[in-house]
Amino acid sequence: MDTMRDRFVAVTTRLLDEDPRLALVLADITAAAFAPAQELHPDRVVNVGIREQLLVSAAGGLALTGMRPIAHTFASFLIERPFEQVKLDLVHQGVGAVLVSAAGSYDWPAGGRTHMSPGDVALLDTLPGWTVHVPGHPDEAEQLLRHAYADGDRNVYVRLSVQQNAAALPVEPGRFTTVRTGSRGAVLAVGPMLDAVLAATEGLDVSVLYAATVRPFDAAGLRAALGDRADVVLVEPYLEGTSAGEAHAALADRPHRVLGLGVPREEHRHYGSIEEHLAAYGLDAPSLRERIGTFLG
């Protein structure tokens, strides 16, 4: 099975052939995979080298000329390192781009802390108007990438991962998908966390919602999934509690409880494997079952 990044390369290569308005800006990462596209479209596939601030500034400049730019590199180099350029050259200028990342929270543990970005979505939450997609499968990644590219001139972040669910779901951008229904609260699984959440909640009387889009947050979908008991567990593949404020706002008019599960703020320095990171963070299925069961009683 191909990865989400493989699908990103294939889809973007086809879109470059189809739409002369589309431009792709790279910072060495994945550049080799886009070499054929660069040969065909040398004026619209630009590799700026290891200059991540320039990556975002170039995307902003292309957007100012009327192009629809896609900028791509690892999440830590796409959101964190050039955050000032994201803030000023995109948001402040009133233009839009599609930022597509890879290697988010723990995708490449051997790369160390410089290649980990569990705070990327939380950081974007400090800026207005962003759409954030977190697909859990390559098929979903393709659908959401195509939607992001065609989403007017909005700023869109597409967070790709090597971790993925066994099967894709029929996702609708901006809407949560109900996977299971129950009466003792709801568990919202984001992107590649769905399989672990389904295993963890097997036999529990809870609703399971799936989010491949987290911004805008589907407040109506969350409210509709809750009965009299407004207990919510958020399971996100990035910083724990990132969407807790959104959940609280959605339920502000009723008594409720929210538990945010995700990557903790404390740095995990034993880089190991993805599976070891998930276990250390309490995001593997056995840990999730214990934590969800304890919270829901």
Side-chain angles (χ1 to χ4, degrees):
M1 179 183 294
D2 59 352
T3 67
M4 295 186 205
R5 186 147 54 132
D6 293 334
R7 193 67 64 88
F8 161 61
V9 171
V11 170
T12 304
T13 297
R14 290 196 296 271
L15 289 174
L16 285 162
D17 293 337
E18 297 167 2
D19 189 348
R21 183 172 174 254
L22 183 66
L24 174 66
V25 191
L26 305 168
D28 272 1
I29 301 300
T30 320
F34 280 111
Q38 189 173 36
E39 289 184 9
L40 290 173
H41 310 289
D43 56 333
R44 292 189 289 119
V45 179
V46 181
N47 182 9
V48 301
I50 307 175
R51 301 178 181 91
E52 287 82 8
Q53 288 89 350
L54 177 59
L55 171 80
V56 175
S57 292
L62 288 164
L64 282 170
T65 71
M67 304 289 284
R68 181 58 165 162
I70 296 175
H72 167 70
T73 185
F74 289 164
S76 56
F77 308 144
L78 184 64
I79 304 299
E80 293 180 335
R81 183 170 294 175
F83 182 69
E84 184 177 10
Q85 284 70 37
V86 172
K87 178 178 68 175
L88 297 179
D89 296 346
L90 294 177
V91 177
H92 180 65
Q93 291 294 334
V95 295
V98 181
L99 306 186
V100 181
S101 73
S105 301
Y106 40 74
D107 273 18
W108 187 25
R113 184 64 176 176
T114 57
H115 290 71
M116 298 177 183
S117 182
D120 53 350
V121 177
L123 191 55
L124 282 181
D125 272 347
T126 66
L127 301 175
W130 279 83
T131 296
V132 178
H133 299 306
V134 188
H137 187 275
D139 290 351
E140 298 169 9
E142 175 168 350
Q143 178 183 347
L144 295 171
L145 281 163
R146 290 183 176 277
H147 184 273
Y149 147 75
D151 194 12
D153 289 309
R154 296 180 59 84
N155 281 309
V156 184
Y157 179 43
V158 184
R159 192 182 202 266
L160 306 182
S161 177
V162 297
Q163 183 190 6
Q164 61 189 57
N165 302 313
L169 289 186
V171 297
E172 179 182 352
R175 297 287 182 266
F176 299 158
T177 300
T178 300
V179 183
R180 289 179 185 161
T181 58
S183 63
R184 295 181 57 207
V187 181
L188 176 65
V190 174
M193 301 310 305
L194 178 61
D195 281 359
V197 167
L198 289 175
T201 57
E202 183 68 36
L204 300 182
D205 185 19
V206 296
S207 294
V208 175
L209 301 179
Y210 177 58
T213 301
V214 293
R215 301 290 182 276
F217 188 86
D218 184 9
L222 177 63
R223 291 176 63 90
L226 294 168
D228 295 333
R229 185 166 176 172
D231 290 344
V232 178
V233 181
L234 307 171
V235 185
E236 302 176 277
Y238 35 77
L239 193 65
E240 62 185 4
T242 294
S243 295
E246 297 284 347
H248 284 304
L251 302 172
D253 62 340
R254 59 188 298 189
H256 65 275
R257 297 188 305 151
V258 175
L259 173 65
L261 303 180
V263 180
R265 283 164 175 76
E266 295 77 14
E267 184 177 344
H268 182 65
R269 294 174 180 266
H270 299 282
Y271 297 134
S273 65
I274 290 177
E275 291 74 20
E276 288 170 326
H277 274 256
L278 291 170
Y281 301 149
L283 294 176
D284 60 333
S287 301
L288 286 173
R289 186 173 184 86
E290 180 179 357
R291 300 170 79 184
I292 293 169
T294 298
F295 177 72
L296 296 177

